[in-house]
């Protein structure tokens, strides 16, 4: 036996007539009737239902449901086979990573339309609206393209991730921080490549920076708040318009200890004397838990080479007992420019800090601070901030209602800002949080967790545990140089390329031609030696001719690559290995500080130059003063101006009073600004402008508007 629904699907006409009668009686609407028919597979329009209702009213037979040929909506621009083929093509390119724009897809659709109809599509048929309907019909969506995503996809490869762990393992084993695990199984997910020395885990550090803003950050997800359904719920009205910004350095070691935060601010931090955010590591210089530090930094509140070197010297090194080049510590970080400045690297080497850099654009996979700590910290900070703003609004509302009866809620300031930062920081850098971050990073235990998580099908290869000694490397380099090079130019034969059995002195500026020049010189030197050989069968005259030709050719080659006087270049010496460590550090810091001061002075100089062009406050204005005096004298004698002031004359009036102006002010702005500078001159200028406009209207008035008697 069939169900009622199956019977209606098999023979829809009785149900269609029943729906038409219900619609005629007003029991259901037309839209409801169309929806009921769709449930059994009948596509009918509201117009067709109204036609069937009319037939029923006049006593005619209800038409058959199949007479509704057009169904719902108008036919598609492209037929189903063509649209299906276009969707197949678009999905194919998406799957292989080819990005198709809206313009490209619409161009393909127009080609399909032209092929189907032998004519161009109407101008409004294949546009953005059709494009988005096409995507919706075929299960395709759009997403925001971020160039950083491409960099991460290209850089975060299996090779780079595996190579990072192997580099770190070799560095740790070489300096006695760990030992190779003889039972390491490359096919086992939990197998450890190296076994850390428990007594040296507190000497291996990782760190990263994060940015904090007092004002609201754009594009950052907020926190959820309670609302009442069906009501217009007011939002918090607490503002935060201060431009205060800071960068915080978060650092931890493999023993689970975290350093106190180190803040670089764009303004002086408003922090109470007894306010602190302590770390969980001991400061060897004081014997107490390390305290947070606040310093004034760049205008953007970010780390540069100088501030990073200062953090290393004043914040990191005091937490490492007896650190020196003979007893080093390992620091794992990203390749930010502030971490890789020459002076910074030299300072770290002098202090005994071995830096292991992460692969570029791989911090989202390999940096524990990004994987866990800063995510927890910023989420907790936003919650604490929302709670503080709600409390400010509640308390301010009570005071306004009960006492002041006027005013608005105070802004979210530095006091509340630092309290929210401390509350969030203490929860994100506990011993348990640090241990979890290290497990996610695959460092403790050293099981390379990100490699297994993101590349489960990675190649199962054992790492190169032994590093060739210096003698073996030197011998290999010598053998390679003999095959590829000439004396003093390693690898030159490979760069020159081509057939080196022929002598070619052509010099076109290419890398191959430049590389051939030393090879040609070497060939000429050997030939000159043979010519000068006393056992040669050549006569003295022939020998002299050939020798002169060889010398001329050598001079020609040399002249193309070497100028008579070498240009002087500033060089930096790195052979100061005999100087004391303190002297090296001070010299590097002085260089970094000088570079920072130079940048600040350059920016100030550029700003002052731009300001001079805008308002000319720092130029001689004696001519401008004389022009204004003459203008006032003429105004006192005649009581009016001869003609309206031009833009240049108005600028002279502003310069006479040294009035600051924006860049490129227009004429209307200068006329209004004149009222603030000289109201009498402003009134006279406006009267002259009105008189000039009246005269212009009189000249342009049509002849028909004039009295008849005035027309000759």
């Amino acid at each position: 036996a069939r169900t009622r629904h199956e019977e209606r699907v098999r023979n829809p006409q009785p149900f269609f007539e029943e729906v038409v009668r219900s619609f005629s009686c007003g029991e259901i609407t037309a839209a409801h009737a169309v929806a009921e028919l769709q449930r059994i597979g009948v596509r009918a329009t509201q117009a067709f239902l109204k036609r069937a209702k009319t037939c029923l009213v006049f006593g005619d037979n209800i038409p058959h449901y199949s007479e509704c040929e057009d169904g719902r909506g108008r036919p598609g621009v492209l037929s189903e086979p063509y649209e299906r083929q276009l969707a197949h093509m678009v999905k194919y390119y998406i799957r292989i990573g080819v990005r198709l724009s809206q313009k490209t897809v619409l161009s393909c659709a127009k080609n399909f339309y032209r092929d189907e109809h032998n004519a161009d599509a109407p101008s409004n048929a294949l546009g953005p609206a059709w494009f988005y309907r096409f995507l919706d019909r075929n299960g395709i969506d759009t997403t925001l393209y971020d160039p950083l995503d491409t960099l991460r996809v290209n850089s975060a490869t299996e090779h780079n991730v595996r190579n990072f762990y192997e580099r770190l393992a070799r560095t740790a084993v070489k300096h006695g921080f760990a030992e190779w695990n003889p039972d390491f199984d490359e096919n086992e997910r939990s197998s450890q490549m190296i076994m850390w020395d428990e007594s040296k885990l507190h000497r291996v550090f990782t760190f990263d920076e994060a940015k904090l803003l007092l004002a609201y950050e754009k594009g950052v997800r907020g926190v959820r708040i309670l609302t009442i359904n069906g009501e217009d719920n007011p939002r918090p009205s607490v503002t935060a318009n201060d431009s205060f910004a800071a960068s915080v350095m978060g650092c931890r070691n493999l023993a689970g200890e975290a350093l106190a935060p180190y803040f670089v601010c764009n303004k002086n931090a408003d922090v109470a004397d007894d306010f602190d955010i302590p770390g969980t590591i001991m400061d060897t210089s004081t014997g107490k838990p390390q305290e947070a530090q606040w310093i004034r930094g760049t205008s953007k509140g970010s780390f540069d080479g100088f501030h990073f070197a200062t953090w290393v010297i004043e914040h990191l090194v005091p937490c490492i007992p007896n650190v020196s080049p003979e007893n080093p510590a390992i620091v794992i970080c990203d390749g930010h420019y502030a971490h890789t400045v020459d002076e910074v690297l030299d300072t770290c080497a002098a202090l005994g800090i071995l830096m292991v850099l992460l692969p570029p654009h791989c911090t989202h996979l390999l940096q524990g601070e990004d994987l866990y700590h800063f995510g927890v910290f910023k989420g907790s900070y936003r919650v604490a901030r929302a709670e503080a703003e709600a409390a400010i609004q509640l308390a301010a509302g009570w005071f306004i209602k009960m006492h002041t009866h006027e005013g608005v809620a105070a802004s979210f300031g530095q006091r509340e800002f630092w309290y929210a930062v401390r509350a969030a920081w203490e929860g994100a850098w506990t011993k348990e949080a640090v241990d979890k971050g290290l497990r996610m990073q695959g460092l403790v235990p050293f099981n390379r967790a990100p490699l297994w998580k993101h590349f489960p099908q990675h190649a199962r290869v054992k790492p190169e545990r032994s590093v060739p000694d210096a003698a073996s490397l030197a011998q290999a380099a010598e053998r390679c140089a003999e095959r590829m090079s000439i004396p003093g130019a390693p690898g030159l034969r490979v760069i020159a390329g081509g057939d080196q059995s022929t002598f070619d002195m052509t010099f076109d500026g290419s890398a191959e031609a430049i590389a051939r020049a030393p090879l040609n010189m070497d060939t000429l030197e050997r030939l000159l030696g043979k010519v000068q050989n006393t056992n040669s069968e050549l006569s003295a005259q022939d020998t002299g001719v050939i020798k002169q030709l060889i010398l001329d050719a050598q001079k020609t080659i040399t002249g193309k690559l070497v100028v008579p006087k070498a240009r002087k270049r500033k060089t930096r010496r790195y052979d100061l290995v005999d100087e004391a460590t303190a002297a090296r550090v001070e010299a590097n810091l002085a260089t970094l500080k000088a570079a920072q001061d130079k940048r600040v002075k350059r920016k100030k100089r550029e700003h002052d130059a731009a300001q001079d062009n805008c308002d000319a406050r720092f130029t001689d204005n004696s001519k401008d003063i004389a022009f204004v005096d003459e203008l006032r004298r003429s105004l006192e004698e005649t009581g009016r101006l001869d003609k309206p002031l031009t833009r240049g004359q108005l600028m002279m009036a502003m310069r006479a009073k040294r009035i600051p102006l924006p860049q490129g002010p227009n004429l209307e702005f200068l006329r209004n600004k004149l009222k603030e500078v000289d109201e009498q001159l402003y009134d006279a200028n406006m009267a002259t402008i009105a008189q000039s406009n009246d005269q212009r209207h009189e000249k342009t008035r049509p002849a028909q508007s004039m009295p008849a008697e005035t027309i000759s």
Side-chain angles (χ1 to χ4, degrees):
R2 298 188 182 94
T3 62
R4 180 181 301 177
H5 177 74
E6 292 175 346
E7 185 63 31
R8 289 175 177 175
V9 172
R10 180 174 178 273
N11 185 17
Q13 183 63 22
F15 182 69
F16 173 72
E17 295 178 357
E18 180 183 346
V19 170
V20 171
R21 291 188 179 92
S22 300
F23 171 60
S24 302
C25 298
E27 297 177 358
I28 59 176
T29 63
H32 189 192
V34 171
E36 289 292 333
L37 293 173
Q38 282 184 346
R39 294 177 182 175
I40 62 172
V42 174
R43 297 178 60 84
T45 62
Q46 295 185 18
F48 184 71
L49 288 174
K50 292 178 181 178
R51 196 183 97 188
K53 174 183 176 181
T54 304
C55 295
L56 183 63
V57 170
F58 285 95
D60 297 334
N61 294 328
I62 297 177
H64 197 269
Y65 72 92
S66 61
E67 295 182 18
C68 185
E69 298 177 352
D70 55 347
R72 293 189 60 195
R74 59 186 177 184
V77 179
L78 294 178
S79 62
E80 184 178 352
Y82 277 89
E83 181 167 320
R84 185 168 59 249
Q85 183 65 24
L86 178 61
H88 175 74
M89 184 184 69
V90 172
K91 291 180 180 179
Y92 168 78
Y93 283 117
I94 293 175
R95 290 189 180 103
I96 65 175
V98 178
R99 301 175 184 88
L100 298 179
S101 64
Q102 179 184 130
K103 181 179 179 181
T104 304
V105 175
L106 291 178
S107 178
C108 295
K110 292 176 182 178
N111 287 330
F112 276 121
Y113 185 92
R114 194 177 299 113
D115 182 78
E116 181 181 2
H117 300 282
N118 294 323
D120 292 334
S123 58
N124 59 347
L126 294 173
W130 179 90
F131 171 76
Y132 286 106
R133 291 197 302 268
F134 165 77
L135 298 184
D136 186 61
R137 286 193 300 268
N138 294 278
I140 306 173
D141 202 354
T142 59
T143 184
L144 182 63
Y145 169 67
D146 187 356
L148 184 60
D149 295 338
T150 303
L151 294 175
R152 287 179 172 178
V153 169
N154 295 334
S155 300
T157 61
E158 172 191 336
H159 169 77
N160 287 343
V161 174
R162 185 175 62 248
N163 181 57
F164 161 70
Y165 285 107
E166 293 180 0
R167 285 191 293 110
L168 178 58
R170 286 195 294 269
T171 303
V173 172
K174 180 180 178 181
H175 294 86
F177 288 85
E179 295 181 353
W180 294 107
N181 182 11
D183 300 326
F184 172 63
D185 184 2
E186 62 273 13
N187 296 309
E188 178 61 37
R189 189 185 187 98
S190 60
S191 182
Q192 302 185 49
M193 181 184 293
I194 59 174
M195 305 300 295
W196 291 104
D197 185 350
E198 296 290 339
S199 63
K200 293 190 175 182
L201 287 177
H202 66 284
R203 302 180 71 85
V204 183
F205 293 84
T206 70
F207 67 83
D208 190 24
E209 303 94 341
K211 195 67 173 287
L212 296 173
L213 298 177
L214 179 58
Y216 289 101
E217 301 179 58
K218 295 182 179 179
V220 177
R221 179 173 55 88
V223 297
R224 291 188 174 275
I225 60 176
L226 299 178
T227 59
I228 302 175
N229 294 333
E231 295 187 11
D232 186 13
N233 298 274
R235 299 294 189 230
S237 58
V238 178
T239 61
N241 299 321
D242 196 347
S243 60
F244 179 81
S247 291
V248 57
M249 179 73 79
C251 182
R252 63 197 177 149
N253 60 22
L254 300 193
E257 299 172 324
L259 274 68
Y262 187 89
F263 298 95
V264 175
C265 312
N266 66 340
K267 299 179 180 180
N268 292 328
D270 185 10
V271 181
D273 295 337
D274 57 347
F275 184 86
D276 189 24
I277 309 177
T280 59
I281 195 171
M282 299 299 294
D283 190 334
T284 57
S285 60
T286 61
K288 300 178 181 179
Q290 191 181 42
E291 298 179 353
Q293 295 189 37
W294 290 264
I295 64 172
R296 176 75 177 271
T298 62
S299 58
K300 294 183 179 180
S302 57
F303 279 85
D304 58 7
F306 174 76
H307 294 104
F308 175 71
T310 305
W311 173 80
V312 171
I313 298 168
E314 299 180 357
H315 208 67
L316 176 62
V317 171
C319 297
I320 310 175
N322 304 320
V323 62
S324 66
E326 294 75 22
N327 187 23
I330 295 179
V331 171
I332 305 168
C333 63
D334 56 41
H336 189 266
Y337 80 95
H339 309 159
T340 56
V341 181
D342 293 342
E343 291 79 11
V344 169
L345 296 177
D346 189 62
T347 298
C348 292
L351 296 173
I353 295 176
L354 306 174
M355 298 189 70
V356 179
L357 299 181
L358 297 171
H361 307 295
C362 293
T363 56
H364 62 296
L365 302 182
L366 300 176
Q367 197 159 44
E369 291 79 9
D370 285 346
L371 290 175
Y372 184 71
H373 296 287
F374 283 137
V376 175
F377 165 69
K378 290 192 174 182
S380 301
Y381 164 73
R382 287 192 287 267
V383 172
R385 175 171 185 156
E387 293 176 348
E389 290 177 347
I392 292 175
Q393 186 176 9
L394 177 63
W398 183 86
F399 273 96
I400 294 171
K401 181 179 180 180
M402 304 299 295
H403 292 275
T404 63
H405 306 294
E406 62 179 0
V408 296
S411 299
F412 184 86
Q414 283 201 42
R415 179 183 56 186
E416 296 80 14
F417 172 78
W418 290 118
Y419 180 86
V421 168
R422 180 173 63 179
W425 189 271
E426 292 175 349
W429 295 86
T430 61
K431 179 69 166 58
E432 294 76 13
V434 172
D435 291 341
K436 182 175 181 179
L438 294 173
R439 288 195 303 271
M440 296 175 65
Q441 198 174 359
L443 295 182
V444 181
F446 201 90
N447 55 12
R448 308 178 300 172
L451 180 63
W452 283 95
K453 178 179 179 181
H454 299 283
F455 305 98
Q457 305 300 326
H458 66 272
R460 310 297 199 267
V461 294
K462 290 188 177 182
E464 184 67 30
R465 299 188 177 186
S466 61
V467 180
D469 55 9
S472 300
L473 291 175
Q475 293 175 4
E478 291 176 1
R479 291 193 299 270
C480 183
E482 291 175 357
R483 295 191 303 269
M484 299 165 49
S485 312
I486 62 174
L492 201 64
R493 296 188 186 277
V494 177
I495 299 174
D499 184 9
Q500 299 175 13
S501 60
T502 59
F503 187 79
D504 184 7
M505 285 185 56
T506 305
F507 192 86
D508 56 2
S510 63
E512 293 78 8
I514 296 173
R516 280 198 306 267
L519 297 177
N520 292 338
M521 287 291 291
D522 184 65
T523 302
L524 293 173
E525 286 288 347
R526 288 187 283 105
L527 180 59
L528 183 61
K530 293 180 180 179
V531 170
Q532 293 176 344
N533 189 359
T534 56
N535 298 328
S536 175
E537 298 179 357
L538 298 175
S539 63
Q541 183 179 3
D542 294 340
T543 301
V545 173
I546 296 176
K547 181 179 179 181
Q548 187 61 39
L549 291 174
I550 293 175
L551 293 177
D552 290 344
Q554 289 180 332
K555 184 178 180 180
T556 302
I557 295 173
T558 304
K560 292 179 178 179
L561 293 176
V562 180
V563 294
K565 183 179 180 180
R567 290 179 293 178
K568 295 183 179 180
R569 297 180 181 273
K570 295 182 179 180
T571 59
R572 188 184 290 113
R573 295 187 60 191
Y574 294 95
D575 56 350
L576 305 178
V577 294
D578 296 331
E579 295 291 336
T581 300
R584 290 173 59 184
V585 171
E586 291 297 331
N588 292 329
L589 285 178
T591 304
L592 293 170
K593 183 62 177 175
Q596 182 191 49
D597 295 340
K598 185 177 179 180
R599 288 195 303 271
V600 173
K601 290 180 180 178
R602 186 185 72 249
K603 291 181 179 179
K604 185 178 185 302
R605 186 167 58 251
E606 293 174 353
H607 177 269
D608 293 345
Q611 194 69 24
D612 290 345
N613 294 332
C614 293
D615 53 30
R617 287 182 292 173
F618 305 101
T619 57
D620 184 20
N621 64 343
S622 57
K623 294 182 179 180
D624 305 315
I625 295 175
F627 168 76
V628 173
D629 292 341
E630 181 65 25
L631 203 61
R632 288 176 177 170
R633 190 178 304 109
S634 175
L635 182 62
E636 291 176 357
E637 293 176 356
T638 62
R640 63 183 182 84
L641 297 177
D642 295 336
K643 56 182 179 180
L645 297 178
T646 63
R647 180 179 180 276
Q649 293 172 339
L650 290 170
M651 290 285 291
M652 295 177 68
M654 300 301 161
R655 286 196 293 265
K657 292 290 186 177
R658 297 192 182 277
I659 302 299
L661 297 173
Q663 189 172 3
N666 56 27
L667 182 61
E668 187 67 24
F669 175 85
L670 293 174
R671 286 174 176 173
N672 296 330
K673 193 72 174 178
L674 183 61
K675 185 176 183 180
E676 304 176 8
V677 178
D678 192 327
E679 190 169 356
Q680 182 182 3
L681 193 59
Y682 168 80
D683 294 338
N685 185 50
M686 297 305 294
T688 306
I689 293 173
Q691 183 180 2
S692 177
N693 292 336
D694 293 340
Q695 293 176 356
R696 187 180 299 110
H697 292 327
E698 288 291 338
K699 292 180 180 180
T700 58
R701 183 176 299 173
Q704 289 79 358
S705 62
M706 300 177 62
E709 58 271 13
T710 62
I711 302 176
S712 59

